[in-house]
Amino acid sequence: MGLDEDALEYHRADPPGKLEIATTKPTNTQRDLSLAYSPGVAAPCRAIADDPADAYTYTTKGNMVGVVSNGTAVLGLGDIGAQASKPVMEGKGVLFKRFADIDVFDIELDQDDPASFAEAVSMMEPTFGGINIEDIAAPACFQIEEFLREEMDIPIFHDDQHGTAIISGAALQNACEIADKELSELEVVFAGAGAAATATARFYDSLGVDRDNITMCDVDGIITAERAANGDPHSYVEPFARERPDGDLADAMDGADAFVGLSVGGIVSEEMVRSMADDPIIFAMANPEPEIGYEEAKAARDDTVIMATGRSDYPNQVNNVLGFPFIFRGALDVRATEINEAMKVAASEALAELAKRDVPDAVVKAYGDQPLQFGPGYIIPKPLDPRVLFEVSGAVAEAAMDSGVARETLDLDEYRETLEARLGKSREMMRVVLNKAQSDPKRLVLAEGDDPKMIRAAYQLTEQEIADPVLIGHKRDIWEQAADLGLDFDPEIVDPTTDELDPYAERLYDLRKRNGVTRRESDGLVHDGNYLASVMVEMGDADAMLTGLTNHYPTALRPPLQVVGTADDADYAAGVYMLTFKNRVVFVADATVNQAPDADVLAEVAEHTADLARQFNVDPRVALLSYSDFGTVDNEGTRKPREAARRLRDDPDIEFPVDGEMQADTAVVEEMLAGDYSFAELDEPANVLVFPNLEAGNIAYKLLQRLGGAEAIGPMLVGMDKPVHVLQRGDE
């Protein structure tokens, strides 16, 4: 099947389209329905009637954007009408939800008259927290946006104008830095004089480009002062009409520093690129065919050509999804009355700054492990970089507050954390641990320190002040790799080939001499990163260790078990995964260590896992799982979790509710616990699930991850004397 056939099948698969409405509150009982509708709904209605601002408290308005179009200028399709534009507007809604957790109603109005269209949209203000107008032809789009900004007291944003301006503006700032050019001195040529080009030229002026250095061209050539005086083209371009002779695009590009294409494909030749100034900046953003191809532009010159396009198959895609979801997120969260120029500039500057920072491995992996390092091939972030949400939205919210258009004041540090939580429950839970780590950074030794992922992890730990990393590996290799990765930091390195390791070898010998390790063998073992890291932690030269990235789990786990060992109050270690769902967190144990635990092991694992849950600020409720419910099956297998649960319940030092043996659904479904098993110690569903053996735990967490939509964090090793973290091989 071709792309068109695939797209048609994608859209017609049941249910048709790409959006649906989902309830956010319980609707399972008569009481639920009486609260959701009559008679309970009268209470919020009265509250809003008394104070209209309460609409943000009691309804979806504060997280609802209207995506509105008449279909007169749909990207790549032209004037196809309101009805035909609906798939695009639904798609816009998907992007709002996927990237910024904003709900959308798409509205297609069969109205070409700008005044009538604008009036219809203005009447929707009670419904929405913001309006995104989309795919409307120029100059009507300018008139509509101006009217709505005057008439409505909520954010209005025409993405076709401002999205491209903001994203390409971020790229322009970084391109100038790389090319060592000043924005104020930049000679910029535009191909195109429509909505996107005009708005982008205006925005570049806001960023610091001298308006007198901007030359705009349309199909008839350079837009001169003489043409503008004769009303050609529309009046919105007039501020950029130049006092210069007539000419075509080739004349305009001669000697220019930057070319910005928002027109049609194939209109720029290699010769035109060669005529530009040194190290030219070329943003050829026509879709699907750029004004000049990426390879052609690069091949035209021997110096540095900094190139961006609108395509995803080349570096530096100017993609509007980097802008509108996050700009609206920040604007909605401070209840801004508008999206002003300060907020747009803040968004662009935040994107530019983010592109200079090290890119997380998860993002690199999502883009095929291609190098993503600040330079000519990477001047704007990637849309799948999760940091865009809290960097851009936070900058926009701050600019709204500073510029006086915000009706709510936010603590920006707290706001950043709420934004991070929107990326998923796992990010919210990890933030708890990161905050604790940042308050008291520890020395963390990375056993596989010469692996690129570990080097980048060390850089990010340092940059975010989470920990003080110590890398084990060859110094020269680590320094060279750090330089190749563009990481400007000076990590602490322990090099087994050059550093003095005698004290570590002696300590390892003392610990293992009655387990068959000779003094000579200990000299060799400390050259193994896992053993060296383990001894460093055991001796107190590091507070914690991390390993497992390049070794099988049992191989990586063996040295810390032999050297660090379990805690004084523990006889067993265990591997725990934290599984996060949309509104629930569950800790699963044991999924990696103990193959056939008896009741003693199960009880201890339950206790360790409950302690781990508390580290994430979760009050543990523990269930010992089986295929039996409270004695319905009695055999050796079911007796182990039953006995473990009994011991924990009888222990006066245990301060968490625990019960079992029970089936998995009994443990997590409140109605089942409250029904037939109302005698159970758990009055709420369990959030710590202890499985009867390694097979069950490992199978369960992987099924929940792959089929149940859970995000898995771990494995986290519990029961050790000091913090030891062993990754599954290949983890990010």
Side-chain angles (χ1 to χ4, degrees):
M1 294 176 71
L3 181 62
D4 285 354
E5 290 78 10
D6 287 345
L8 290 171
E9 178 59 30
Y10 174 89
H11 282 80
R12 71 170 161 250
D14 194 41
K18 300 186 285 283
L19 299 173
E20 68 176 4
I21 295 175
T23 59
T24 60
K25 301 294 191 297
T27 56
N28 299 319
T29 67
Q30 177 59 37
R31 176 169 172 76
D32 291 339
L33 295 178
S34 70
L35 293 172
Y37 197 54
S38 181
V41 75
C45 288
R46 286 192 293 266
I48 295 168
D50 292 338
D51 183 359
D54 276 346
Y56 289 91
T57 303
Y58 298 117
T59 76
T60 61
K61 177 169 181 168
N63 197 51
M64 179 69 70
V65 166
V67 175
V68 190
S69 181
N70 61 8
T72 54
V74 178
L75 181 64
L77 299 172
D79 186 355
I80 59 174
Q83 185 94 325
S85 75
K86 186 172 177 62
V88 180
M89 303 312 126
E90 286 187 354
K92 199 81 172 188
V94 169
L95 298 178
F96 267 108
K97 189 65 177 178
R98 162 64 179 80
F99 288 99
D101 194 28
I102 293 174
D103 296 315
V104 161
F105 280 129
D106 63 286
I107 297 173
E108 295 73 36
L109 297 177
D110 192 8
Q111 178 56 259
D112 291 350
D113 176 62
S116 299
F117 182 95
E119 186 176 358
V121 175
S122 69
M123 289 188 281
M124 300 179 195
E125 184 165 348
T127 301
F128 297 110
I131 296 287
N132 184 100
I133 55 176
E134 190 81 12
D135 290 351
I136 300 170
C141 60
F142 300 114
Q143 300 163 10
I144 290 168
E145 187 185 39
E146 286 177 1
F147 177 87
L148 295 178
R149 284 171 61 89
E150 288 292 328
E151 293 296 316
M152 302 182 78
D153 205 26
I154 58 175
I156 309 297
F157 191 77
H158 183 206
D159 188 43
D160 301 317
Q161 290 184 58
H162 309 299
T164 301
I166 291 165
I167 312 310
S168 69
L172 185 70
Q173 294 173 70
N174 283 338
C176 285
E177 181 174 328
I178 293 166
D180 195 22
K181 299 185 178 187
E182 295 293 332
L183 280 168
S184 60
E185 299 174 3
L186 210 65
E187 285 283 348
V188 184
V189 173
F190 278 81
T198 305
T200 301
R202 287 178 175 176
F203 187 69
Y204 286 6
D205 181 29
S206 297
L207 290 177
V209 175
D210 190 333
R211 181 173 294 192
D212 291 336
N213 291 345
I214 295 175
T215 299
M216 298 193 73
C217 302
D218 61 10
V219 292
D220 296 319
I222 297 171
I223 298 172
T224 63
E226 183 179 353
R227 282 183 59 189
N230 295 326
D232 176 30
H234 56 78
S235 61
Y236 293 93
V237 179
E238 186 176 350
F240 301 100
R242 294 288 295 272
E243 289 282 359
R244 60 175 292 171
D246 290 335
D248 59 14
L249 181 60
D251 296 320
M253 289 181 65
D254 189 6
D257 295 293
F259 166 80
V260 180
L262 290 159
S263 52
V264 295
I267 62 172
V268 174
S269 67
E270 291 186 37
E271 183 59 38
M272 293 160 73
V273 173
R274 281 192 285 271
S275 75
M276 296 178 70
D278 292 343
D279 299 325
I281 299 164
I282 299 175
F283 295 168
M285 296 180 284
N287 256 328
E289 181 189 357
E291 287 81 359
I292 182 171
Y294 184 86
E295 292 88 354
E296 290 80 5
K298 286 285 193 178
R301 308 177 57 118
D302 294 329
D303 58 358
T304 302
V305 177
I306 303 174
M307 179 80 172
T309 71
R311 294 177 57 125
S312 60
D313 50 352
Y314 293 115
N316 299 324
Q317 183 193 18
V318 178
N319 190 332
N320 284 15
V321 78
L322 281 167
F324 66 86
F326 314 109
I327 293 167
F328 267 103
R329 179 77 275 157
L332 290 173
D333 290 339
V334 295
R335 298 188 190 175
T337 57
E338 63 175 335
I339 295 172
N340 59 24
E341 202 68 11
M343 296 159 73
K344 297 174 202 170
V345 170
S348 190
E349 290 177 344
L351 285 171
E353 184 60 32
L354 181 57
K356 300 175 189 177
R357 291 165 51 187
D358 186 49
V359 181
D361 281 330
V363 179
V364 175
K365 186 175 182 180
Y367 287 92
D369 290 318
Q370 61 179 290
L372 298 177
Q373 180 181 328
F374 183 64
Y378 183 71
I379 55 176
I380 39 178
K382 294 292 188 180
L384 292 178
D385 190 332
R387 299 172 301 172
V388 177
L389 173 61
F390 39 87
E391 296 298 339
V392 174
S393 299
V396 169
E398 183 176 14
M401 291 187 289
D402 290 345
S403 61
V405 299
R407 286 176 285 203
E408 291 285 319
T409 300
L410 302 177
D411 179 292
L412 290 172
D413 290 333
E414 292 178 3
Y415 179 52
R416 181 187 177 93
E417 294 191 15
T418 64
L419 289 171
E420 200 165 3
R422 287 186 180 275
L423 295 173
K425 196 71 175 175
S426 62
R427 296 290 294 243
E428 180 183 357
M429 299 305 297
M430 287 306 299
R431 176 48 56 188
V432 173
V433 175
L434 291 176
N435 286 343
K436 291 179 179 179
Q438 288 171 327
S439 68
D440 185 19
K442 303 294 186 182
R443 281 173 58 82
L444 173 66
V445 59
L446 308 179
E448 299 148 309
D450 49 10
D451 184 275
K453 287 187 177 181
M454 285 297 188
I455 296 170
R456 295 177 64 182
Y459 175 79
Q460 291 171 14
L461 289 167
T462 302
E463 185 182 47
Q464 298 177 40
E465 299 180 342
I466 295 170
D468 298 322
V470 180
L471 295 166
I472 294 179
H474 298 289
K475 287 178 177 153
R476 179 173 294 178
D477 290 346
I478 292 172
W479 288 331
E480 288 178 354
Q481 288 195 72
D484 290 342
L485 293 168
L487 306 178
D488 183 17
F489 80 130
D490 185 20
E492 182 179 348
I493 301 171
V494 175
D495 188 337
T497 65
T498 60
D499 290 344
E500 175 57 55
L501 301 183
D502 255 8
Y504 298 124
E506 187 64 35
R507 180 58 179 162
L508 180 59
Y509 173 64
D510 287 342
L511 292 168
R512 301 295 297 164
K513 61 188 177 185
R514 292 188 178 274
N515 296 95
V517 176
T518 67
R519 181 64 179 80
R520 183 175 179 180
E521 287 173 329
S522 70
D523 283 333
L525 286 174
V526 292
H527 284 79
D528 178 305
N530 285 325
Y531 275 103
L532 178 54
S534 299
V535 181
M536 290 177 67
V537 170
E538 197 277 336
M539 292 181 67
D541 289 347
D543 300 302
M545 69 174 283
L546 176 67
T547 187
L549 189 65
T550 60
N551 292 290
H552 287 293
Y553 190 83
T555 302
L557 178 61
R558 190 175 300 113
L561 279 177
Q562 292 176 350
V563 176
V564 177
T566 57
D568 291 341
D569 61 348
D571 294 313
Y572 310 99
V576 181
Y577 276 92
M578 180 171 67
L579 302 182
T580 63
F581 303 84
K582 185 174 182 180
N583 294 308
R584 178 178 287 189
V585 177
V586 175
F587 294 84
V588 172
D590 174 9
T592 63
V593 179
N594 298 288
Q595 291 189 1
D598 58 19
D600 290 336
V601 177
L602 290 173
E604 188 172 307
V605 168
E607 193 169 354
H608 293 327
T609 309
D611 289 340
L612 177 66
R614 290 192 186 98
Q615 293 178 36
F616 286 88
N617 294 345
V618 173
D619 291 329
R621 300 183 297 275
V622 180
L624 280 295
L625 300 184
S626 179
Y627 64 94
S628 165
D629 274 321
F630 305 103
T632 55
V633 177
D634 186 32
N635 58 36
E636 183 181 0
T638 62
R639 289 180 203 127
K640 293 177 184 178
R642 188 185 312 152
E643 174 61 16
R646 184 196 64 76
R647 292 183 190 179
L648 290 168
R649 289 196 307 272
D650 292 347
D651 187 338
D653 294 327
I654 296 300
E655 298 179 347
F656 54 81
V658 54
D659 216 332
E661 89 286 12
M662 66 180 74
Q663 295 185 20
D665 53 350
T666 303
V668 299
V669 178
E670 188 168 5
E671 289 79 5
M672 296 180 70
L673 281 170
D676 293 339
Y677 307 111
S678 58
F679 58 83
E681 294 292 321
L682 302 178
D683 54 6
E684 294 182 65
N687 52 25
V688 172
L689 305 178
V690 180
F691 283 81
N693 55 51
L694 181 60
E695 276 187 306
N698 194 271
I699 290 169
Y701 102 77
K702 289 185 176 180
L703 282 175
L704 287 168
Q705 182 184 17
R706 300 300 180 182
L707 300 181
E711 289 188 64
I713 297 174
M716 292 172 275
L717 203 58
V718 298
M720 298 295 289
D721 189 38
K722 295 183 179 180
V724 172
H725 309 286
V726 181
L727 305 170
Q728 295 277 21
R729 190 167 69 164
D731 279 353
E732 298 169 1

